[in-house]
Every structure is written in structure tokens, then in C-alpha cells.
Short mmCIF file of all heavy atoms in Angstrom, two decimals:
data_model
loop_
_atom_site.label_atom_id
_atom_site.label_comp_id
_atom_site.label_asym_id
_atom_site.label_seq_id
_atom_site.Cartn_x
_atom_site.Cartn_y
_atom_site.Cartn_z
N ASP A 328 0.81 -1.21 0.00
CA ASP A 328 0.00 0.00 0.00
C ASP A 328 0.85 1.27 0.00
O ASP A 328 0.33 2.35 -0.22
CB ASP A 328 -0.93 0.02 1.22
CG ASP A 328 -1.97 -1.08 1.15
OD1 ASP A 328 -2.27 -1.53 0.03
OD2 ASP A 328 -2.46 -1.49 2.21
N ARG A 329 2.15 1.14 0.28
CA ARG A 329 3.01 2.31 0.31
C ARG A 329 3.37 2.70 -1.11
O ARG A 329 3.68 1.84 -1.95
CB ARG A 329 4.28 2.03 1.10
CG ARG A 329 4.01 2.02 2.59
CD ARG A 329 5.29 2.06 3.35
NE ARG A 329 6.12 0.91 3.00
CZ ARG A 329 7.01 0.37 3.82
NH1 ARG A 329 7.22 0.88 4.99
NH2 ARG A 329 7.71 -0.67 3.45
N PRO A 330 3.38 4.02 -1.40
CA PRO A 330 3.73 4.43 -2.76
C PRO A 330 5.19 4.19 -3.07
O PRO A 330 6.04 4.21 -2.18
CB PRO A 330 3.41 5.93 -2.76
CG PRO A 330 3.43 6.35 -1.32
CD PRO A 330 3.05 5.13 -0.53
N LEU A 331 5.46 3.94 -4.32
CA LEU A 331 6.85 3.84 -4.78
C LEU A 331 7.42 5.25 -4.92
O LEU A 331 6.70 6.19 -5.25
CB LEU A 331 6.91 3.12 -6.13
CG LEU A 331 6.50 1.66 -6.11
CD1 LEU A 331 6.34 1.15 -7.53
CD2 LEU A 331 7.51 0.82 -5.35
N GLN A 332 8.70 5.39 -4.71
CA GLN A 332 9.36 6.68 -4.83
C GLN A 332 10.14 6.70 -6.14
O GLN A 332 11.02 5.86 -6.36
CB GLN A 332 10.31 6.89 -3.65
CG GLN A 332 11.00 8.23 -3.67
CD GLN A 332 11.90 8.40 -2.47
OE1 GLN A 332 12.64 7.51 -2.10
NE2 GLN A 332 11.84 9.57 -1.87
N VAL A 333 9.80 7.66 -7.01
CA VAL A 333 10.52 7.79 -8.29
C VAL A 333 11.84 8.51 -8.01
O VAL A 333 11.86 9.63 -7.50
CB VAL A 333 9.68 8.56 -9.32
CG1 VAL A 333 10.47 8.75 -10.61
CG2 VAL A 333 8.38 7.83 -9.60
N ARG A 334 12.94 7.85 -8.34
CA ARG A 334 14.26 8.42 -8.11
C ARG A 334 14.79 9.10 -9.37
O ARG A 334 15.56 10.04 -9.29
CB ARG A 334 15.25 7.32 -7.70
CG ARG A 334 14.91 6.68 -6.38
CD ARG A 334 15.53 7.46 -5.24
NE ARG A 334 15.18 6.92 -3.95
CZ ARG A 334 15.86 5.99 -3.31
NH1 ARG A 334 16.93 5.46 -3.87
NH2 ARG A 334 15.47 5.58 -2.12
N ALA A 335 14.41 8.58 -10.53
CA ALA A 335 14.88 9.16 -11.80
C ALA A 335 13.93 8.75 -12.90
O ALA A 335 13.29 7.70 -12.82
CB ALA A 335 16.30 8.68 -12.12
N ALA A 336 13.83 9.60 -13.92
CA ALA A 336 13.01 9.29 -15.09
C ALA A 336 13.65 9.97 -16.28
O ALA A 336 14.07 11.12 -16.19
CB ALA A 336 11.58 9.77 -14.89
N SER A 337 13.73 9.27 -17.40
CA SER A 337 14.27 9.89 -18.61
C SER A 337 13.55 9.34 -19.83
O SER A 337 13.06 8.22 -19.83
CB SER A 337 15.78 9.66 -18.73
OG SER A 337 16.06 8.30 -18.93
N LEU A 338 13.49 10.18 -20.83
CA LEU A 338 12.87 9.82 -22.10
C LEU A 338 13.75 10.37 -23.21
O LEU A 338 14.02 11.57 -23.26
CB LEU A 338 11.46 10.43 -22.19
CG LEU A 338 10.68 10.19 -23.47
CD1 LEU A 338 10.42 8.72 -23.68
CD2 LEU A 338 9.38 10.97 -23.45
N ARG A 339 14.24 9.47 -24.06
CA ARG A 339 15.05 9.86 -25.22
C ARG A 339 14.45 9.20 -26.45
O ARG A 339 14.57 7.99 -26.59
CB ARG A 339 16.50 9.39 -25.05
CG ARG A 339 17.33 10.30 -24.22
CD ARG A 339 18.81 10.07 -24.47
NE ARG A 339 19.58 10.84 -23.52
CZ ARG A 339 20.09 10.34 -22.40
NH1 ARG A 339 19.93 9.07 -22.11
NH2 ARG A 339 20.77 11.11 -21.58
N GLY A 340 13.83 9.98 -27.28
CA GLY A 340 13.17 9.39 -28.44
C GLY A 340 12.09 8.43 -27.97
O GLY A 340 11.17 8.81 -27.27
N SER A 341 12.23 7.15 -28.33
CA SER A 341 11.24 6.15 -27.91
C SER A 341 11.73 5.33 -26.72
O SER A 341 11.07 4.39 -26.30
CB SER A 341 10.91 5.22 -29.07
OG SER A 341 12.06 4.51 -29.47
N GLU A 342 12.90 5.69 -26.16
CA GLU A 342 13.47 4.94 -25.03
C GLU A 342 13.08 5.62 -23.71
O GLU A 342 13.31 6.82 -23.55
CB GLU A 342 15.00 4.90 -25.12
CG GLU A 342 15.51 4.25 -26.39
CD GLU A 342 15.30 2.76 -26.43
OE1 GLU A 342 15.36 2.12 -25.37
OE2 GLU A 342 15.06 2.22 -27.53
N ILE A 343 12.52 4.85 -22.80
CA ILE A 343 12.11 5.39 -21.50
C ILE A 343 12.81 4.60 -20.40
O ILE A 343 13.03 3.40 -20.53
CB ILE A 343 10.58 5.35 -21.33
CG1 ILE A 343 10.15 6.10 -20.08
CG2 ILE A 343 10.04 3.94 -21.35
CD1 ILE A 343 8.66 6.39 -20.01
N ARG A 344 13.20 5.32 -19.34
CA ARG A 344 13.79 4.66 -18.16
C ARG A 344 13.21 5.30 -16.92
O ARG A 344 13.16 6.52 -16.80
CB ARG A 344 15.30 4.81 -18.16
CG ARG A 344 15.93 4.29 -16.87
CD ARG A 344 17.42 4.32 -16.90
NE ARG A 344 17.89 3.25 -17.78
CZ ARG A 344 19.18 3.04 -18.05
NH1 ARG A 344 20.09 3.82 -17.55
NH2 ARG A 344 19.52 2.05 -18.85
N LEU A 345 12.76 4.46 -16.00
CA LEU A 345 12.27 4.90 -14.69
C LEU A 345 13.04 4.14 -13.62
O LEU A 345 13.23 2.92 -13.74
CB LEU A 345 10.78 4.58 -14.53
CG LEU A 345 9.82 5.23 -15.51
CD1 LEU A 345 8.44 4.61 -15.36
CD2 LEU A 345 9.75 6.71 -15.29
N VAL A 346 13.48 4.83 -12.60
CA VAL A 346 14.12 4.20 -11.45
C VAL A 346 13.25 4.50 -10.25
O VAL A 346 13.03 5.67 -9.92
CB VAL A 346 15.57 4.71 -11.25
CG1 VAL A 346 16.19 4.03 -10.04
CG2 VAL A 346 16.41 4.47 -12.50
N VAL A 347 12.73 3.46 -9.62
CA VAL A 347 11.84 3.63 -8.48
C VAL A 347 12.36 2.81 -7.30
O VAL A 347 13.04 1.80 -7.49
CB VAL A 347 10.38 3.23 -8.80
CG1 VAL A 347 9.80 4.09 -9.91
CG2 VAL A 347 10.27 1.77 -9.18
N ALA A 348 12.04 3.27 -6.10
CA ALA A 348 12.45 2.57 -4.89
C ALA A 348 11.21 2.21 -4.08
O ALA A 348 10.25 2.98 -4.04
CB ALA A 348 13.38 3.45 -4.06
N GLY A 349 11.23 1.04 -3.47
CA GLY A 349 10.13 0.60 -2.63
C GLY A 349 9.87 -0.87 -2.81
O GLY A 349 10.69 -1.60 -3.35
N SER A 350 8.70 -1.30 -2.36
CA SER A 350 8.32 -2.70 -2.45
C SER A 350 7.48 -2.91 -3.70
O SER A 350 6.45 -2.26 -3.89
CB SER A 350 7.53 -3.11 -1.20
OG SER A 350 7.18 -4.47 -1.27
N LEU A 351 7.93 -3.81 -4.55
CA LEU A 351 7.25 -4.08 -5.81
C LEU A 351 7.24 -5.58 -6.04
O LEU A 351 8.30 -6.20 -6.09
CB LEU A 351 7.98 -3.35 -6.95
CG LEU A 351 7.35 -3.39 -8.33
CD1 LEU A 351 6.02 -2.67 -8.34
CD2 LEU A 351 8.28 -2.76 -9.34
N GLY A 352 6.05 -6.15 -6.13
CA GLY A 352 5.95 -7.59 -6.33
C GLY A 352 6.59 -8.39 -5.21
O GLY A 352 7.16 -9.45 -5.44
N GLY A 353 6.52 -7.85 -3.99
CA GLY A 353 7.10 -8.55 -2.86
C GLY A 353 8.60 -8.36 -2.71
O GLY A 353 9.22 -8.96 -1.83
N ARG A 354 9.21 -7.57 -3.58
CA ARG A 354 10.65 -7.33 -3.52
C ARG A 354 10.92 -5.89 -3.13
O ARG A 354 10.44 -4.98 -3.79
CB ARG A 354 11.30 -7.58 -4.90
CG ARG A 354 11.11 -8.96 -5.45
CD ARG A 354 12.23 -9.88 -5.16
NE ARG A 354 13.49 -9.17 -5.06
CZ ARG A 354 14.65 -9.69 -5.34
NH1 ARG A 354 14.72 -10.91 -5.77
NH2 ARG A 354 15.76 -8.99 -5.20
N ASP A 355 11.69 -5.72 -2.06
CA ASP A 355 12.09 -4.38 -1.64
C ASP A 355 13.37 -3.98 -2.36
O ASP A 355 14.20 -4.84 -2.65
CB ASP A 355 12.37 -4.34 -0.13
CG ASP A 355 11.10 -4.37 0.69
OD1 ASP A 355 10.08 -3.85 0.20
OD2 ASP A 355 11.13 -4.93 1.79
N GLY A 356 13.52 -2.70 -2.63
CA GLY A 356 14.78 -2.23 -3.20
C GLY A 356 14.55 -1.24 -4.31
O GLY A 356 13.53 -0.57 -4.39
N VAL A 357 15.55 -1.17 -5.19
CA VAL A 357 15.53 -0.26 -6.33
C VAL A 357 15.18 -1.07 -7.57
O VAL A 357 15.74 -2.13 -7.81
CB VAL A 357 16.90 0.44 -6.49
CG1 VAL A 357 16.91 1.32 -7.73
CG2 VAL A 357 17.20 1.28 -5.25
N HIS A 358 14.25 -0.54 -8.36
CA HIS A 358 13.77 -1.21 -9.57
C HIS A 358 14.00 -0.27 -10.74
O HIS A 358 13.56 0.88 -10.71
CB HIS A 358 12.28 -1.55 -9.45
CG HIS A 358 11.91 -2.16 -8.13
ND1 HIS A 358 12.05 -3.50 -7.87
CD2 HIS A 358 11.43 -1.59 -6.99
CE1 HIS A 358 11.65 -3.74 -6.62
NE2 HIS A 358 11.27 -2.59 -6.08
N ARG A 359 14.69 -0.75 -11.78
CA ARG A 359 14.94 0.07 -12.97
C ARG A 359 14.13 -0.49 -14.14
O ARG A 359 14.33 -1.62 -14.56
CB ARG A 359 16.42 0.08 -13.32
CG ARG A 359 16.75 1.13 -14.36
CD ARG A 359 18.21 1.14 -14.69
NE ARG A 359 18.50 0.18 -15.74
CZ ARG A 359 19.66 -0.40 -15.92
NH1 ARG A 359 20.67 -0.16 -15.09
NH2 ARG A 359 19.84 -1.25 -16.89
N PHE A 360 13.22 0.33 -14.62
CA PHE A 360 12.38 -0.04 -15.76
C PHE A 360 12.99 0.56 -17.02
O PHE A 360 13.13 1.78 -17.12
CB PHE A 360 10.96 0.52 -15.59
CG PHE A 360 10.17 -0.12 -14.49
CD1 PHE A 360 10.34 0.29 -13.17
CD2 PHE A 360 9.25 -1.10 -14.77
CE1 PHE A 360 9.61 -0.29 -12.15
CE2 PHE A 360 8.51 -1.68 -13.75
CZ PHE A 360 8.69 -1.28 -12.44
N ASP A 361 13.37 -0.28 -17.98
CA ASP A 361 13.84 0.18 -19.27
C ASP A 361 12.84 -0.28 -20.31
O ASP A 361 12.44 -1.45 -20.30
CB ASP A 361 15.21 -0.43 -19.60
CG ASP A 361 16.31 0.09 -18.70
OD1 ASP A 361 16.33 1.31 -18.44
OD2 ASP A 361 17.16 -0.71 -18.25
N GLY A 362 12.42 0.62 -21.18
CA GLY A 362 11.44 0.21 -22.18
C GLY A 362 11.50 1.03 -23.44
O GLY A 362 12.17 2.06 -23.52
N ARG A 363 10.80 0.53 -24.45
CA ARG A 363 10.69 1.20 -25.74
C ARG A 363 9.22 1.49 -25.99
O ARG A 363 8.39 0.59 -25.88
CB ARG A 363 11.25 0.33 -26.85
CG ARG A 363 11.18 0.96 -28.23
CD ARG A 363 11.81 0.08 -29.28
NE ARG A 363 13.26 0.00 -29.13
CZ ARG A 363 14.10 0.90 -29.64
NH1 ARG A 363 13.66 1.92 -30.32
NH2 ARG A 363 15.40 0.74 -29.48
N ILE A 364 8.92 2.73 -26.32
CA ILE A 364 7.55 3.14 -26.58
C ILE A 364 7.23 2.86 -28.05
O ILE A 364 8.01 3.19 -28.94
CB ILE A 364 7.37 4.64 -26.29
CG1 ILE A 364 7.71 4.92 -24.83
CG2 ILE A 364 5.96 5.10 -26.63
CD1 ILE A 364 7.87 6.39 -24.50
N ASN A 365 6.08 2.22 -28.26
CA ASN A 365 5.63 1.92 -29.62
C ASN A 365 4.13 2.19 -29.66
O ASN A 365 3.35 1.37 -29.19
CB ASN A 365 5.94 0.46 -29.97
CG ASN A 365 5.60 0.14 -31.41
OD1 ASN A 365 5.17 1.01 -32.17
ND2 ASN A 365 5.80 -1.10 -31.80
N GLY A 366 3.74 3.37 -30.15
CA GLY A 366 2.33 3.74 -30.17
C GLY A 366 1.82 3.93 -28.76
O GLY A 366 2.36 4.72 -27.99
#
């Protein structure tokens, strides 16, 4: 129920990166999301 804390976010062209800290899927720590936007 605790919100995740966004530590960093970047967008370059279609490349996106988010770095968040907190509990996600039962795992505590830092989570880095790397993705490509398509539509």
C-alpha cells in the first residue's frame, strides 16, 4: 500500500527509463524499468 518513490526518469526518443524505490511484487529495493515506446 506504500507508494513507490521515483528516483529518476528519462525519455530519449522512444526509449524510456524509470528508477523507483520501494516494495514491488514482494521485492524491496531499487527497480529500474527500461522500455521502448511503440504507439
Side-chain angles (χ1 to χ4, degrees):
D328 294 336
R329 285 193 301 208
L331 294 169
Q332 182 179 44
V333 177
R334 296 273 177 89
S337 66
L338 178 63
R339 278 200 187 98
S341 62
E342 301 289 326
I343 189 166
R344 173 175 287 178
L345 299 170
V346 179
V347 298
S350 181
L351 185 64
R354 301 265 330 209
D355 285 329
V357 176
H358 314 277
R359 191 179 87 206
F360 291 82
D361 292 317
R363 180 177 291 275
I364 301 167
N365 185 2

